[in-house]
Amino acid sequence: MTAFIVSDADDAALDHIIEAVKTRRAADRRKAETVAAATVTKGATVQLTRLSPAYLNGLQGIVAEVDRPRRGKPRATVTLDADSTNVLRYSGSRKFFVAPGVTNYDLHGVPLTCCVTVEAPAAE
C-alpha cells in the first residue's frame, strides 16, 4: 500500500486516501469519546493523557466530579494524588499554583477523553 501511495497514486487517488484517513480518525475519536464517557465515573482512578501542556500527561488522581453538559464535551474534575501534586507544584507552571504543604490538587475541566482509567493503588 505504501509503495502505491509513494509512486503510483495520482492526485484523485491521493485525495480519496486522505479523505478516508480523515473519516477513520473522526470515527476513532468518536469511539474514544464514547468509551471514555462510559468508563470514567466519579471515584475512578485515572491517568491523564493527550493534554496540553504536556507536563500534565502522566499525572494521576481520582475523579471528583463529572460534568456531562447537554452541549459540548464531558469534562471531569480530577483530584491529583500526592505524587502528581508534587510534580505539578515543581513543573514551573504559572497556570497552576500549588501552595507548599498542599498534598492534593483539584484539576478542573479535564476532557474525559484524556482520562484513562487505571487500577487504584493497593492499600498498605
Side-chain angles (χ1 to χ4, degrees):
M1 178 63 129
T2 304
F4 169 74
I5 293 171
V6 171
S7 58
D8 297 331
D10 61 8
D11 286 344
L14 291 174
D15 290 342
H16 183 71
I17 292 166
I18 290 168
E19 191 58 38
V21 168
K22 286 180 183 178
T23 301
R24 169 71 184 274
R25 287 188 173 160
D28 288 348
R29 273 192 301 276
R30 282 191 301 276
K31 181 179 177 184
E33 289 171 2
T34 302
V35 169
T39 59
V40 177
T41 58
K42 185 176 180 178
T45 301
V46 294
Q47 182 173 29
L48 306 182
T49 62
R50 298 185 312 275
L51 285 168
S52 178
Y55 57 79
L56 295 174
N57 296 324
L59 300 182
Q60 290 191 9
I62 296 175
V63 176
E65 183 180 335
V66 176
D67 180 25
R68 299 178 196 277
R70 291 178 67 171
R71 295 183 126 181
K73 297 184 180 192
R75 297 184 178 272
T77 296
V78 177
T79 302
L80 299 178
D81 60 25
D83 291 338
S84 294
T85 299
N86 271 334
V87 170
L88 186 60
R89 175 182 290 117
Y90 299 113
S91 68
S93 168
R94 293 181 184 192
K95 184 174 183 176
F96 304 103
F97 173 74
V98 182
V102 171
T103 58
N104 298 93
Y105 185 86
D106 285 344
L107 199 58
H108 299 278
V110 179
L112 292 189
T113 55
C114 298
C115 297
V116 177
T117 306
V118 296
E119 292 290 322
E124 294 180 19

